[in-house]
Amino acid sequence: MSWPYKDLIAIQDLKADEINTILDMTASFKEISRRDIKKVPALRGKTVVLLFYEPSTRTRLSFELAAKRLSADTTALSASGSSFSKGETIMDAAYNVMAMAPDCIVIRYPYAGIPRKMAELLPCSVINAGDGYHEHPTQALLDMYSMKEHFGRIEGLKVAIVGDIMHSRVARSNVYGLRKLGAQVVLVAPKTLLPPGIETWDVEVSTKLDPVLPEADVVMMLRVQRERLHQQFFSGEREYSFFYGLNRARVEKMKPDAVIMHPGPMNRGVEITHDAADSARSIILDQVENGVAIRMTLLYLSLGGSINVD
Ligand code: CP
């Protein structure tokens, strides 16, 4: 059976059974990364272009490794080394890249909507690697995979997402995905970092972290996105850390089997301390490992692989 979509732009576009298909297929791709020879011929002859107009460590590297492990050819372009700095628009760049016949474009862009526009206009597959505050669908899929791997289920889990919800595409994609799969979500942030219209989201909201900790199965800390904070949203990082930072004392308030997650990059000492980030409850590096496997699954499906893979 083939995957019905050319592109992956948003978790909002996927049905629950489609998310489950992606998660179920990912274990077999993860196994490839644990072999001595980490390469299979699944995408031999395919070309994946990575267009990153914002900085990235995890997403860019994991897409590149995922493509290479499936034997696709890859090439990457970032804003600083491209003709973007000479005034070329993103859509002109996209048409020019398309003229070189890639099979897939992975795009990260600072503003919402560009990946969807590219997907509508270009014949190749387009995968959204994060667009503005809109969505970061591959991050949410790797997060959900990591939860399912750890707990054996997603339905019924209580997931606290803590921090800068307003500017977080990771929070949005996780909310959409986790709710579709039957998890409860509680968003924790100061009022100033909650987006307008939050009351219409299908989630609980708390402006206090401490009462949420003993109830949550997953505590997902978000980075304070300094590059997107163009006004004063809280009085300082010390105060933010005092009220919303995950530290040793707060880790001790968590349920005994609860886990700590963070999409990265972390601001150690702001939203999370060393002893929380590096504690036995942290599955942050599992998230990173699973990022490669999820992106192998998504490249494989987007480029025409069948759902029943052995
Ligand atoms: N989680 C995430 O998107 O990390 P990068 O910005 O390093 O890709």
Side-chain angles (χ1 to χ4, degrees), residues 49-308:
V49 172
L50 309 170
L51 296 183
F52 275 69
Y53 286 77
E54 275 190 335
S56 169
T57 297
R58 281 146 290 270
T59 312
R60 180 171 158 172
L61 266 182
S62 61
F63 264 114
E64 190 160 354
L65 286 171
K68 285 182 175 6
R69 285 178 190 174
L70 295 174
S71 301
D73 297 314
T74 66
T75 190
L77 194 63
S78 55
S80 60
S82 75
S83 291
F84 189 64
S85 56
K86 300 179 202 164
E88 185 174 44
T89 67
I90 179 64
M91 286 313 300
D92 271 336
Y95 285 124
N96 279 267
V97 170
M98 195 64 232
M100 299 180 220
D103 298 287
C104 179
I105 294 177
V106 177
I107 169 82
R108 170 170 287 191
Y109 201 71
Y111 303 109
I114 288 295
R116 185 158 329 264
K117 181 60 78 187
M118 287 173 62
E120 285 165 4
L121 296 175
L122 301 182
C124 71
S125 290
V126 176
I127 299 182
N128 180 6
D131 61 332
Y133 310 163
H134 172 226
E135 281 223 31
H136 193 348
T138 65
Q139 179 69 43
L141 288 165
L142 76 88
D143 291 339
M144 289 188 281
Y145 180 83
S146 302
M147 290 178 213
K148 193 163 179 182
E149 182 181 60
H150 186 87
F151 291 102
R153 66 190 167 95
I154 289 186
E155 188 167 10
L157 292 180
K158 185 159 189 171
V159 180
I161 305 179
V162 184
D164 181 3
I165 308 294
M166 166 110 80
H167 301 104
S168 178
R169 55 199 178 204
V170 174
R172 284 170 179 76
S173 289
N174 266 294
V175 166
Y176 301 136
L178 288 165
R179 293 297 298 128
K180 283 178 195 214
L181 298 194
Q184 280 179 270
V185 179
V186 52
L187 301 178
V188 183
K191 273 194 182 128
T192 50
L193 287 176
L194 289 169
I198 188 82
E199 60 286 348
T200 64
W201 297 23
D202 185 20
V203 295
E204 291 173 46
V205 177
S206 173
T207 54
K208 293 194 169 70
L209 174 57
D210 289 308
V212 171
L213 291 172
E215 299 169 3
D217 300 293
V218 176
V219 178
M220 182 187 293
M221 304 305 296
L222 297 178
R223 182 171 69 90
V224 173
Q225 301 195 42
R226 293 168 173 135
E227 76 279 18
R228 301 195 204 275
L229 298 181
H230 302 306
Q231 62 190 77
Q232 193 79 21
F233 288 95
F234 47 84
S235 39
E237 288 185 349
R238 270 162 79 103
E239 186 183 299
Y240 180 87
S241 191
F242 181 79
F243 287 107
Y244 296 98
L246 190 63
N247 53 29
R248 186 197 300 256
R250 289 202 165 108
V251 170
E252 282 166 13
K253 292 183 183 171
M254 289 167 54
K255 281 168 85 165
D257 57 350
V259 297
I260 299 166
M261 298 178 70
H262 194 305
M266 292 184 273
N267 289 318
R268 288 175 181 256
V270 182
E271 74 271 4
I272 193 164
T273 59
H274 291 294
D275 42 14
D278 304 330
S279 75
R281 288 155 174 277
S282 167
I283 61 165
I284 293 169
L285 292 180
D286 296 344
Q287 291 174 261
V288 178
E289 181 183 7
N290 292 334
V292 178
I294 275 286
R295 288 164 179 134
M296 288 171 80
T297 307
L298 295 168
L299 288 171
Y300 176 80
L301 288 175
S302 301
L303 291 175
S306 68
I307 288 177
N308 304 314

